[in-house]
Short mmCIF file of all heavy atoms in Angstrom, two decimals:
data_model
loop_
_atom_site.label_atom_id
_atom_site.label_comp_id
_atom_site.label_asym_id
_atom_site.label_seq_id
_atom_site.Cartn_x
_atom_site.Cartn_y
_atom_site.Cartn_z
N MET P 749 -46.97 211.84 79.18
CA MET P 749 -46.98 211.11 80.45
C MET P 749 -46.26 209.76 80.27
O MET P 749 -46.40 209.12 79.25
CB MET P 749 -48.42 210.87 80.89
CG MET P 749 -48.60 210.83 82.40
SD MET P 749 -50.20 210.16 82.90
CE MET P 749 -51.34 211.22 82.02
N LYS P 750 -45.52 209.36 81.27
CA LYS P 750 -44.75 208.13 81.16
C LYS P 750 -45.66 206.89 81.23
O LYS P 750 -46.50 206.77 82.11
CB LYS P 750 -43.69 208.10 82.28
CG LYS P 750 -42.70 206.97 82.15
CD LYS P 750 -41.27 207.49 82.11
CE LYS P 750 -40.26 206.34 82.08
NZ LYS P 750 -40.29 205.51 80.87
N VAL P 751 -45.46 206.01 80.28
CA VAL P 751 -46.24 204.77 80.23
C VAL P 751 -45.55 203.72 81.11
O VAL P 751 -44.35 203.51 80.99
CB VAL P 751 -46.31 204.24 78.77
CG1 VAL P 751 -47.13 202.96 78.68
CG2 VAL P 751 -46.87 205.31 77.83
N PRO P 752 -46.29 203.06 82.02
CA PRO P 752 -45.64 202.05 82.86
C PRO P 752 -45.28 200.80 82.06
O PRO P 752 -46.05 200.35 81.21
CB PRO P 752 -46.70 201.74 83.93
CG PRO P 752 -48.00 202.17 83.36
CD PRO P 752 -47.72 203.25 82.35
N ALA P 753 -44.09 200.28 82.29
CA ALA P 753 -43.63 199.08 81.58
C ALA P 753 -44.10 197.84 82.34
O ALA P 753 -43.30 197.10 82.90
CB ALA P 753 -42.12 199.10 81.46
N ASN P 754 -45.42 197.64 82.39
CA ASN P 754 -45.95 196.49 83.13
C ASN P 754 -46.76 195.56 82.23
O ASN P 754 -46.91 195.80 81.02
CB ASN P 754 -46.78 196.97 84.32
CG ASN P 754 -47.94 197.86 83.90
OD1 ASN P 754 -48.38 197.82 82.76
ND2 ASN P 754 -48.42 198.67 84.81
N PHE P 755 -47.29 194.52 82.81
CA PHE P 755 -48.02 193.51 82.04
C PHE P 755 -49.28 194.09 81.39
O PHE P 755 -49.60 193.76 80.25
CB PHE P 755 -48.38 192.31 82.94
CG PHE P 755 -49.07 191.20 82.20
CD1 PHE P 755 -48.38 190.42 81.28
CD2 PHE P 755 -50.42 190.94 82.41
CE1 PHE P 755 -49.03 189.41 80.57
CE2 PHE P 755 -51.07 189.93 81.71
CZ PHE P 755 -50.37 189.15 80.80
N LYS P 756 -49.94 194.99 82.10
CA LYS P 756 -51.16 195.63 81.58
C LYS P 756 -50.85 196.38 80.27
O LYS P 756 -51.57 196.27 79.29
CB LYS P 756 -51.69 196.60 82.64
CG LYS P 756 -53.19 196.77 82.61
CD LYS P 756 -53.62 197.59 83.81
CE LYS P 756 -54.90 198.33 83.50
NZ LYS P 756 -55.25 199.27 84.56
N SER P 757 -49.74 197.12 80.27
CA SER P 757 -49.32 197.85 79.07
C SER P 757 -48.93 196.86 77.97
O SER P 757 -49.25 197.07 76.79
CB SER P 757 -48.13 198.74 79.37
OG SER P 757 -48.41 199.67 80.37
N PHE P 758 -48.26 195.80 78.34
CA PHE P 758 -47.80 194.79 77.38
C PHE P 758 -48.99 194.20 76.63
O PHE P 758 -48.94 194.01 75.42
CB PHE P 758 -47.03 193.68 78.11
CG PHE P 758 -46.27 192.77 77.18
CD1 PHE P 758 -44.99 193.09 76.75
CD2 PHE P 758 -46.84 191.59 76.72
CE1 PHE P 758 -44.29 192.25 75.88
CE2 PHE P 758 -46.16 190.75 75.86
CZ PHE P 758 -44.87 191.08 75.44
N VAL P 759 -50.08 193.95 77.34
CA VAL P 759 -51.28 193.38 76.73
C VAL P 759 -51.96 194.40 75.83
O VAL P 759 -52.41 194.06 74.73
CB VAL P 759 -52.24 192.85 77.83
CG1 VAL P 759 -53.58 192.44 77.26
CG2 VAL P 759 -51.61 191.68 78.58
N LYS P 760 -52.01 195.66 76.25
CA LYS P 760 -52.71 196.70 75.48
C LYS P 760 -51.95 197.14 74.23
O LYS P 760 -52.55 197.62 73.28
CB LYS P 760 -52.95 197.92 76.37
CG LYS P 760 -54.09 197.73 77.37
CD LYS P 760 -54.30 199.04 78.12
CE LYS P 760 -55.42 198.91 79.13
NZ LYS P 760 -55.56 200.16 79.91
N CYS P 761 -50.64 197.05 74.24
CA CYS P 761 -49.81 197.51 73.12
C CYS P 761 -50.18 196.79 71.83
O CYS P 761 -50.32 195.57 71.81
CB CYS P 761 -48.34 197.26 73.46
SG CYS P 761 -47.22 197.62 72.10
N ILE P 762 -50.31 197.57 70.74
CA ILE P 762 -50.70 196.99 69.45
C ILE P 762 -49.52 196.88 68.47
O ILE P 762 -49.72 196.63 67.28
CB ILE P 762 -51.87 197.79 68.81
CG1 ILE P 762 -51.49 199.25 68.57
CG2 ILE P 762 -53.13 197.70 69.68
CD1 ILE P 762 -52.48 200.02 67.68
N CYS P 763 -48.31 197.05 68.95
CA CYS P 763 -47.11 196.97 68.10
C CYS P 763 -47.07 195.72 67.21
O CYS P 763 -46.63 195.80 66.06
CB CYS P 763 -45.84 197.01 68.94
SG CYS P 763 -45.35 198.65 69.47
N ILE P 764 -47.53 194.61 67.72
CA ILE P 764 -47.42 193.36 66.93
C ILE P 764 -48.27 193.41 65.65
O ILE P 764 -48.03 192.65 64.74
CB ILE P 764 -47.77 192.09 67.75
CG1 ILE P 764 -49.12 192.21 68.45
CG2 ILE P 764 -46.67 191.76 68.75
CD1 ILE P 764 -49.69 190.85 68.87
N LYS P 765 -49.23 194.34 65.60
CA LYS P 765 -50.07 194.49 64.39
C LYS P 765 -49.47 195.49 63.41
O LYS P 765 -50.00 195.73 62.34
CB LYS P 765 -51.47 194.97 64.79
CG LYS P 765 -52.27 193.95 65.58
CD LYS P 765 -53.64 194.53 65.90
CE LYS P 765 -54.42 193.60 66.81
NZ LYS P 765 -55.54 194.31 67.45
N CYS P 766 -48.36 196.10 63.79
CA CYS P 766 -47.74 197.17 63.00
C CYS P 766 -46.92 196.59 61.84
O CYS P 766 -46.21 195.60 62.01
CB CYS P 766 -46.84 197.98 63.93
SG CYS P 766 -45.82 199.17 63.06
N PRO P 767 -46.98 197.24 60.66
CA PRO P 767 -46.17 196.76 59.52
C PRO P 767 -44.66 196.84 59.75
O PRO P 767 -43.90 196.11 59.12
CB PRO P 767 -46.60 197.67 58.36
CG PRO P 767 -47.28 198.83 58.98
CD PRO P 767 -47.84 198.36 60.28
N SER P 768 -44.22 197.70 60.67
CA SER P 768 -42.78 197.81 60.97
C SER P 768 -42.31 196.79 62.01
O SER P 768 -41.11 196.65 62.24
CB SER P 768 -42.45 199.22 61.48
OG SER P 768 -42.82 200.19 60.54
N HIS P 769 -43.25 196.12 62.66
CA HIS P 769 -42.89 195.12 63.68
C HIS P 769 -42.40 193.86 62.97
O HIS P 769 -43.18 193.05 62.48
CB HIS P 769 -44.11 194.82 64.57
CG HIS P 769 -43.77 194.18 65.87
ND1 HIS P 769 -43.73 192.83 66.04
CD2 HIS P 769 -43.41 194.72 67.06
CE1 HIS P 769 -43.38 192.57 67.30
NE2 HIS P 769 -43.17 193.69 67.93
N ASP P 770 -41.09 193.71 62.91
CA ASP P 770 -40.49 192.66 62.09
C ASP P 770 -40.20 191.36 62.85
O ASP P 770 -40.49 191.24 64.04
CB ASP P 770 -39.22 193.21 61.40
CG ASP P 770 -38.13 193.57 62.39
OD1 ASP P 770 -38.27 193.26 63.60
OD2 ASP P 770 -37.12 194.14 61.95
N LYS P 771 -39.63 190.43 62.11
CA LYS P 771 -39.31 189.11 62.64
C LYS P 771 -38.39 189.20 63.86
O LYS P 771 -38.58 188.49 64.85
CB LYS P 771 -38.61 188.31 61.52
CG LYS P 771 -38.83 186.83 61.61
CD LYS P 771 -38.27 186.17 60.35
CE LYS P 771 -38.24 184.67 60.50
NZ LYS P 771 -37.71 184.02 59.29
N CYS P 772 -37.39 190.08 63.78
CA CYS P 772 -36.44 190.27 64.88
C CYS P 772 -37.18 190.67 66.16
O CYS P 772 -36.96 190.08 67.21
CB CYS P 772 -35.42 191.33 64.47
SG CYS P 772 -34.30 191.83 65.80
N MET P 773 -38.05 191.63 66.06
CA MET P 773 -38.81 192.09 67.24
C MET P 773 -39.75 191.00 67.74
O MET P 773 -39.95 190.86 68.95
CB MET P 773 -39.59 193.36 66.91
CG MET P 773 -38.71 194.56 66.71
SD MET P 773 -39.67 196.10 66.67
CE MET P 773 -39.83 196.33 64.92
N LYS P 774 -40.32 190.23 66.81
CA LYS P 774 -41.22 189.15 67.21
C LYS P 774 -40.44 188.05 67.94
O LYS P 774 -40.89 187.55 68.97
CB LYS P 774 -41.97 188.59 65.99
CG LYS P 774 -43.00 189.58 65.45
CD LYS P 774 -43.89 188.96 64.40
CE LYS P 774 -44.57 189.98 63.49
NZ LYS P 774 -45.25 191.10 64.12
N LEU P 775 -39.28 187.69 67.41
CA LEU P 775 -38.44 186.66 68.04
C LEU P 775 -38.00 187.07 69.44
O LEU P 775 -37.92 186.25 70.35
CB LEU P 775 -37.22 186.37 67.17
CG LEU P 775 -37.42 185.43 65.99
CD1 LEU P 775 -36.17 185.41 65.11
CD2 LEU P 775 -37.75 184.01 66.46
N LYS P 776 -37.72 188.35 69.61
CA LYS P 776 -37.26 188.86 70.91
C LYS P 776 -38.42 189.28 71.82
O LYS P 776 -38.19 189.80 72.91
CB LYS P 776 -36.29 190.03 70.70
CG LYS P 776 -34.98 189.59 70.06
CD LYS P 776 -34.03 190.74 69.87
CE LYS P 776 -32.71 190.24 69.31
NZ LYS P 776 -31.75 191.32 69.06
N VAL P 777 -39.65 189.08 71.32
CA VAL P 777 -40.87 189.45 72.05
C VAL P 777 -40.78 190.91 72.54
O VAL P 777 -40.99 191.20 73.71
CB VAL P 777 -41.20 188.47 73.20
CG1 VAL P 777 -42.68 188.57 73.59
CG2 VAL P 777 -40.89 187.03 72.85
N GLN P 778 -40.45 191.79 71.62
CA GLN P 778 -40.30 193.20 71.95
C GLN P 778 -41.55 193.98 71.55
O GLN P 778 -41.99 193.89 70.40
CB GLN P 778 -39.09 193.79 71.23
CG GLN P 778 -37.76 193.26 71.71
CD GLN P 778 -36.60 193.91 70.97
OE1 GLN P 778 -36.76 194.59 69.97
NE2 GLN P 778 -35.39 193.68 71.48
N LYS P 779 -42.09 194.75 72.48
CA LYS P 779 -43.15 195.72 72.22
C LYS P 779 -43.14 196.78 73.32
O LYS P 779 -42.10 196.92 73.96
CB LYS P 779 -44.52 195.02 72.03
CG LYS P 779 -44.94 194.10 73.18
CD LYS P 779 -46.11 193.17 72.79
CE LYS P 779 -47.44 193.86 72.86
NZ LYS P 779 -48.59 192.98 73.01
N ILE P 780 -44.22 197.52 73.52
CA ILE P 780 -44.30 198.70 74.42
C ILE P 780 -43.00 199.53 74.46
O ILE P 780 -42.48 199.87 75.51
CB ILE P 780 -44.78 198.37 75.88
CG1 ILE P 780 -44.11 197.12 76.49
CG2 ILE P 780 -46.28 198.33 75.96
CD1 ILE P 780 -44.34 197.00 78.01
N PHE P 781 -42.57 199.91 73.28
CA PHE P 781 -41.34 200.70 73.16
C PHE P 781 -41.49 202.09 73.78
O PHE P 781 -40.50 202.68 74.22
CB PHE P 781 -40.93 200.81 71.69
CG PHE P 781 -40.75 199.47 71.04
CD1 PHE P 781 -41.73 198.96 70.19
CD2 PHE P 781 -39.63 198.69 71.29
CE1 PHE P 781 -41.58 197.71 69.60
CE2 PHE P 781 -39.47 197.44 70.72
CZ PHE P 781 -40.45 196.95 69.86
N CYS P 782 -42.72 202.60 73.83
CA CYS P 782 -42.95 203.93 74.43
C CYS P 782 -42.64 203.89 75.93
O CYS P 782 -42.34 204.91 76.54
CB CYS P 782 -44.38 204.38 74.20
SG CYS P 782 -45.60 203.25 74.86
N ALA P 783 -42.68 202.69 76.52
CA ALA P 783 -42.37 202.53 77.94
C ALA P 783 -40.95 201.99 78.15
O ALA P 783 -40.21 202.47 79.01
CB ALA P 783 -43.36 201.57 78.58
N LYS P 784 -40.57 201.02 77.34
CA LYS P 784 -39.30 200.32 77.55
C LYS P 784 -38.12 200.89 76.79
O LYS P 784 -36.97 200.50 77.02
CB LYS P 784 -39.47 198.85 77.17
CG LYS P 784 -40.35 198.07 78.15
CD LYS P 784 -40.30 196.60 77.84
CE LYS P 784 -40.45 195.75 79.07
NZ LYS P 784 -40.24 194.33 78.79
N GLY P 785 -38.38 201.76 75.84
CA GLY P 785 -37.29 202.31 75.04
C GLY P 785 -37.11 201.61 73.72
O GLY P 785 -37.84 200.66 73.41
N LYS P 786 -36.13 202.06 72.95
CA LYS P 786 -36.00 201.57 71.58
C LYS P 786 -35.59 200.12 71.47
O LYS P 786 -35.00 199.55 72.40
CB LYS P 786 -35.08 202.47 70.76
CG LYS P 786 -33.68 202.60 71.26
CD LYS P 786 -32.96 203.62 70.37
CE LYS P 786 -31.72 204.13 71.04
NZ LYS P 786 -31.14 205.28 70.34
N SER P 787 -35.86 199.56 70.31
CA SER P 787 -35.56 198.16 70.03
C SER P 787 -34.09 197.97 69.72
O SER P 787 -33.42 198.87 69.23
CB SER P 787 -36.40 197.73 68.82
OG SER P 787 -36.00 196.45 68.38
N SER P 788 -33.60 196.76 69.97
CA SER P 788 -32.22 196.42 69.61
C SER P 788 -32.16 195.92 68.17
O SER P 788 -31.08 195.66 67.65
CB SER P 788 -31.71 195.35 70.57
OG SER P 788 -32.58 194.24 70.57
N CYS P 789 -33.29 195.79 67.52
CA CYS P 789 -33.34 195.33 66.13
C CYS P 789 -33.13 196.52 65.19
O CYS P 789 -33.40 197.65 65.57
CB CYS P 789 -34.71 194.73 65.83
SG CYS P 789 -35.12 193.31 66.87
N SER P 790 -32.63 196.23 63.99
CA SER P 790 -32.50 197.33 63.02
C SER P 790 -33.79 197.37 62.20
O SER P 790 -34.08 196.47 61.43
CB SER P 790 -31.27 197.16 62.14
OG SER P 790 -31.23 195.87 61.60
N ILE P 791 -34.56 198.40 62.42
CA ILE P 791 -35.92 198.49 61.90
C ILE P 791 -36.02 199.27 60.60
O ILE P 791 -35.43 200.34 60.46
CB ILE P 791 -36.85 199.13 62.96
CG1 ILE P 791 -36.87 198.24 64.21
CG2 ILE P 791 -38.26 199.34 62.44
CD1 ILE P 791 -37.01 199.00 65.48
N GLU P 792 -36.82 198.72 59.70
CA GLU P 792 -37.13 199.43 58.46
C GLU P 792 -38.49 200.09 58.68
O GLU P 792 -39.45 199.41 59.05
CB GLU P 792 -37.22 198.40 57.32
CG GLU P 792 -37.17 199.01 55.94
CD GLU P 792 -37.45 197.98 54.84
OE1 GLU P 792 -37.07 196.80 55.03
OE2 GLU P 792 -38.07 198.35 53.85
N LYS P 793 -38.59 201.39 58.46
CA LYS P 793 -39.85 202.11 58.67
C LYS P 793 -40.87 201.74 57.61
O LYS P 793 -40.69 202.03 56.43
CB LYS P 793 -39.60 203.62 58.61
CG LYS P 793 -39.06 204.23 59.87
CD LYS P 793 -39.07 205.76 59.74
CE LYS P 793 -38.60 206.42 61.01
NZ LYS P 793 -38.61 207.89 60.92
N LYS P 794 -41.94 201.09 58.04
CA LYS P 794 -43.01 200.72 57.11
C LYS P 794 -44.35 201.26 57.59
O LYS P 794 -45.40 200.75 57.24
CB LYS P 794 -43.09 199.19 57.00
CG LYS P 794 -41.89 198.57 56.29
CD LYS P 794 -42.05 197.07 56.20
CE LYS P 794 -40.88 196.43 55.47
NZ LYS P 794 -40.92 194.97 55.57
N GLY P 795 -44.29 202.24 58.46
CA GLY P 795 -45.48 202.81 59.07
C GLY P 795 -45.47 202.54 60.56
O GLY P 795 -44.79 201.63 61.02
N CYS P 796 -46.20 203.38 61.31
CA CYS P 796 -46.32 203.23 62.76
C CYS P 796 -47.79 203.42 63.13
O CYS P 796 -48.43 204.35 62.66
CB CYS P 796 -45.45 204.26 63.47
SG CYS P 796 -45.62 204.20 65.28
N ILE P 797 -48.30 202.54 63.97
CA ILE P 797 -49.71 202.60 64.35
C ILE P 797 -49.92 203.03 65.81
O ILE P 797 -50.99 202.85 66.37
CB ILE P 797 -50.43 201.26 64.06
CG1 ILE P 797 -49.76 200.08 64.79
CG2 ILE P 797 -50.49 200.99 62.55
CD1 ILE P 797 -50.59 198.79 64.76
N CYS P 798 -48.86 203.60 66.41
CA CYS P 798 -48.96 204.05 67.81
C CYS P 798 -50.15 204.99 68.03
O CYS P 798 -50.76 204.96 69.09
CB CYS P 798 -47.68 204.77 68.23
SG CYS P 798 -46.32 203.66 68.60
N ASN P 799 -50.46 205.81 67.03
CA ASN P 799 -51.59 206.75 67.22
C ASN P 799 -52.94 206.05 67.32
O ASN P 799 -53.93 206.66 67.67
CB ASN P 799 -51.59 207.83 66.12
CG ASN P 799 -51.69 207.27 64.72
OD1 ASN P 799 -51.60 206.05 64.52
ND2 ASN P 799 -51.85 208.12 63.74
N LYS P 800 -52.99 204.75 67.01
CA LYS P 800 -54.24 203.98 67.14
C LYS P 800 -54.26 203.15 68.42
O LYS P 800 -55.20 202.42 68.69
CB LYS P 800 -54.41 203.06 65.92
CG LYS P 800 -54.56 203.81 64.61
CD LYS P 800 -55.06 202.87 63.52
CE LYS P 800 -55.25 203.59 62.21
NZ LYS P 800 -53.98 203.72 61.44
N CYS P 801 -53.20 203.25 69.20
CA CYS P 801 -53.06 202.43 70.40
C CYS P 801 -53.86 203.02 71.58
O CYS P 801 -53.84 204.23 71.78
CB CYS P 801 -51.57 202.37 70.76
SG CYS P 801 -51.24 201.50 72.29
N PRO P 802 -54.54 202.17 72.34
CA PRO P 802 -55.28 202.69 73.50
C PRO P 802 -54.38 203.40 74.53
O PRO P 802 -54.81 204.33 75.20
CB PRO P 802 -55.94 201.45 74.11
CG PRO P 802 -55.29 200.28 73.48
CD PRO P 802 -54.74 200.73 72.16
N LEU P 803 -53.11 202.98 74.60
CA LEU P 803 -52.18 203.61 75.55
C LEU P 803 -51.80 205.03 75.11
O LEU P 803 -51.53 205.89 75.94
CB LEU P 803 -50.93 202.76 75.72
CG LEU P 803 -51.11 201.45 76.49
CD1 LEU P 803 -49.85 200.62 76.42
CD2 LEU P 803 -51.51 201.69 77.91
N ALA P 804 -51.80 205.26 73.80
CA ALA P 804 -51.49 206.60 73.29
C ALA P 804 -52.55 207.58 73.74
O ALA P 804 -52.24 208.72 74.12
CB ALA P 804 -51.39 206.57 71.77
N THR P 805 -53.81 207.14 73.75
CA THR P 805 -54.92 207.97 74.22
C THR P 805 -54.82 208.14 75.73
O THR P 805 -54.88 209.26 76.25
CB THR P 805 -56.26 207.29 73.86
OG1 THR P 805 -56.21 206.89 72.49
CG2 THR P 805 -57.43 208.22 74.07
N GLU P 806 -54.65 207.02 76.41
CA GLU P 806 -54.60 207.01 77.88
C GLU P 806 -53.48 207.90 78.45
O GLU P 806 -53.67 208.60 79.43
CB GLU P 806 -54.37 205.56 78.32
CG GLU P 806 -54.90 205.20 79.68
CD GLU P 806 -54.77 203.69 79.95
OE1 GLU P 806 -55.15 202.87 79.07
OE2 GLU P 806 -54.30 203.35 81.03
N TYR P 807 -52.32 207.88 77.81
CA TYR P 807 -51.17 208.63 78.32
C TYR P 807 -50.82 209.86 77.49
O TYR P 807 -49.75 210.45 77.65
CB TYR P 807 -49.95 207.69 78.46
CG TYR P 807 -50.17 206.66 79.55
CD1 TYR P 807 -50.67 205.39 79.23
CD2 TYR P 807 -49.94 206.97 80.88
CE1 TYR P 807 -50.92 204.46 80.23
CE2 TYR P 807 -50.18 206.05 81.88
CZ TYR P 807 -50.67 204.80 81.56
OH TYR P 807 -50.92 203.88 82.54
N ASN P 808 -51.73 210.21 76.58
CA ASN P 808 -51.57 211.40 75.75
C ASN P 808 -50.23 211.43 75.00
O ASN P 808 -49.49 212.42 75.04
CB ASN P 808 -51.75 212.66 76.63
CG ASN P 808 -51.88 213.93 75.83
OD1 ASN P 808 -52.35 213.90 74.69
ND2 ASN P 808 -51.44 215.04 76.40
N LEU P 809 -49.92 210.33 74.34
CA LEU P 809 -48.67 210.24 73.58
C LEU P 809 -48.81 210.97 72.26
O LEU P 809 -49.84 210.89 71.61
CB LEU P 809 -48.30 208.76 73.33
CG LEU P 809 -48.20 207.85 74.54
CD1 LEU P 809 -47.75 206.46 74.11
CD2 LEU P 809 -47.23 208.40 75.57
N GLN P 810 -47.79 211.69 71.88
CA GLN P 810 -47.85 212.52 70.67
C GLN P 810 -46.95 212.03 69.56
O GLN P 810 -47.09 212.43 68.41
CB GLN P 810 -47.43 213.97 71.02
CG GLN P 810 -48.22 214.61 72.14
CD GLN P 810 -49.69 214.82 71.79
OE1 GLN P 810 -50.04 215.00 70.64
NE2 GLN P 810 -50.56 214.75 72.79
N LYS P 811 -45.99 211.18 69.90
CA LYS P 811 -44.99 210.80 68.91
C LYS P 811 -45.28 209.44 68.27
O LYS P 811 -46.23 208.75 68.64
CB LYS P 811 -43.60 210.79 69.54
CG LYS P 811 -43.14 212.19 69.94
CD LYS P 811 -41.73 212.21 70.44
CE LYS P 811 -41.65 211.86 71.91
NZ LYS P 811 -40.29 211.88 72.44
N LEU P 812 -44.43 209.07 67.31
CA LEU P 812 -44.52 207.78 66.62
C LEU P 812 -43.14 207.13 66.65
O LEU P 812 -42.17 207.76 67.05
CB LEU P 812 -44.96 207.98 65.16
CG LEU P 812 -46.40 208.49 64.92
CD1 LEU P 812 -46.58 208.85 63.46
CD2 LEU P 812 -47.45 207.48 65.34
N TYR P 813 -43.05 205.91 66.20
CA TYR P 813 -41.78 205.19 66.07
C TYR P 813 -40.96 205.15 67.37
O TYR P 813 -39.75 205.42 67.37
CB TYR P 813 -40.94 205.76 64.92
CG TYR P 813 -41.49 205.45 63.56
CD1 TYR P 813 -42.13 206.42 62.80
CD2 TYR P 813 -41.37 204.17 63.02
CE1 TYR P 813 -42.65 206.13 61.54
CE2 TYR P 813 -41.88 203.87 61.77
CZ TYR P 813 -42.51 204.86 61.03
OH TYR P 813 -43.02 204.55 59.78
N TYR P 814 -41.61 204.81 68.45
CA TYR P 814 -40.88 204.67 69.73
C TYR P 814 -39.86 203.54 69.67
O TYR P 814 -38.87 203.56 70.40
CB TYR P 814 -41.87 204.43 70.88
CG TYR P 814 -42.75 205.62 71.15
CD1 TYR P 814 -44.08 205.64 70.72
CD2 TYR P 814 -42.25 206.75 71.80
CE1 TYR P 814 -44.89 206.74 70.95
CE2 TYR P 814 -43.05 207.85 72.03
CZ TYR P 814 -44.37 207.84 71.61
OH TYR P 814 -45.17 208.94 71.83
N CYS P 815 -40.08 202.57 68.78
CA CYS P 815 -39.13 201.46 68.63
C CYS P 815 -37.80 201.94 68.07
O CYS P 815 -36.78 201.29 68.22
CB CYS P 815 -39.73 200.37 67.75
SG CYS P 815 -40.24 200.94 66.12
N ILE P 816 -37.81 203.10 67.42
CA ILE P 816 -36.58 203.66 66.83
C ILE P 816 -36.04 204.81 67.70
O ILE P 816 -34.83 204.90 67.93
CB ILE P 816 -36.84 204.14 65.38
CG1 ILE P 816 -37.22 202.94 64.49
CG2 ILE P 816 -35.64 204.89 64.81
CD1 ILE P 816 -37.72 203.31 63.12
N THR P 817 -36.93 205.67 68.17
CA THR P 817 -36.47 206.87 68.89
C THR P 817 -36.33 206.69 70.40
O THR P 817 -35.63 207.45 71.05
CB THR P 817 -37.40 208.05 68.61
OG1 THR P 817 -38.72 207.68 69.01
CG2 THR P 817 -37.43 208.43 67.14
N GLY P 818 -37.03 205.70 70.95
CA GLY P 818 -36.94 205.48 72.39
C GLY P 818 -38.20 205.89 73.13
O GLY P 818 -39.15 206.38 72.53
N ALA P 819 -38.19 205.69 74.43
CA ALA P 819 -39.38 205.86 75.27
C ALA P 819 -39.86 207.31 75.37
O ALA P 819 -39.08 208.25 75.18
CB ALA P 819 -39.08 205.33 76.67
N GLU P 820 -41.14 207.42 75.65
CA GLU P 820 -41.75 208.72 75.93
C GLU P 820 -41.25 209.20 77.28
O GLU P 820 -41.18 208.44 78.23
CB GLU P 820 -43.28 208.53 75.94
CG GLU P 820 -44.08 209.77 76.25
CD GLU P 820 -44.29 210.68 75.05
OE1 GLU P 820 -43.91 210.30 73.92
OE2 GLU P 820 -44.82 211.78 75.24
N GLU P 821 -40.90 210.48 77.36
CA GLU P 821 -40.40 211.03 78.65
C GLU P 821 -41.55 211.34 79.59
O GLU P 821 -42.60 211.74 79.17
CB GLU P 821 -39.56 212.29 78.39
CG GLU P 821 -38.25 212.01 77.68
CD GLU P 821 -37.40 210.91 78.34
OE1 GLU P 821 -37.27 210.93 79.58
OE2 GLU P 821 -36.89 210.04 77.64
S1 SF4 N 2090 -43.43 201.72 68.02
FE1 SF4 N 2090 -44.71 202.23 66.26
S2 SF4 N 2090 -43.41 201.64 64.50
FE2 SF4 N 2090 -42.56 200.64 66.28
S3 SF4 N 2090 -43.51 198.62 66.27
FE3 SF4 N 2090 -44.72 199.93 67.62
S4 SF4 N 2090 -46.37 200.71 66.34
FE4 SF4 N 2090 -44.76 199.93 64.99
S1 SF4 N 2091 -48.01 203.64 71.84
FE1 SF4 N 2091 -46.95 202.31 70.36
S2 SF4 N 2091 -45.19 201.47 71.46
FE2 SF4 N 2091 -46.57 202.32 72.96
S3 SF4 N 2091 -47.79 200.60 73.62
FE3 SF4 N 2091 -48.92 201.60 71.96
S4 SF4 N 2091 -48.34 200.59 70.07
FE4 SF4 N 2091 -46.85 199.99 71.65
#
């Protein structure tokens, strides 16, 4: 299910606690990649915690690394 790219999702997203959420993404205030699509930063995979996110449960998300692969359809 498509995650809305709104303020409510922005607050719920736990990307900032993720080991792959780097300085570049923090500087650009990038998160909710499952809704907004992939990051413009070049990311090193250090794990993904999307499966622990409340939005993953709410919208039945099955994938990981949305910051690299892009938004959920
Ligand atoms: S999409 Fe996954 S890997 Fe990327 S920052 Fe968010 S939790 Fe981390
Ligand atoms: S599923 Fe991942 S990208 Fe989407 S809001 Fe949660 S932590 Fe962020």
Side-chain angles (χ1 to χ4, degrees):
M749 211 194 305
K750 189 124 176 66
V751 181
N754 58 22
F755 183 70
K756 210 172 152 188
S757 301
F758 193 86
V759 172
K760 284 184 180 176
C761 174
I762 60 168
C763 280
I764 52 161
K765 293 181 185 163
C766 171
S768 302
H769 198 268
D770 65 8
K771 209 171 170 180
C772 173
M773 291 192 263
K774 290 189 201 311
L775 279 172
K776 292 181 177 178
V777 200
Q778 292 181 348
K779 55 194 280 202
I780 45 167
F781 303 103
C782 59
K784 289 188 148 187
K786 60 184 162 191
S787 171
S788 55
C789 300
S790 50
I791 298 147
E792 195 188 327
K793 279 189 177 180
K794 291 181 179 171
C796 177
I797 57 169
C798 282
N799 58 352
K800 297 194 179 83
C801 176
L803 289 173
T805 313
E806 207 173 313
Y807 293 95
N808 192 28
L809 305 183
Q810 305 294 331
K811 293 186 275 181
L812 293 170
Y813 289 106
Y814 293 103
C815 57
I816 296 170
T817 58
E820 178 82 7
E821 292 308 315

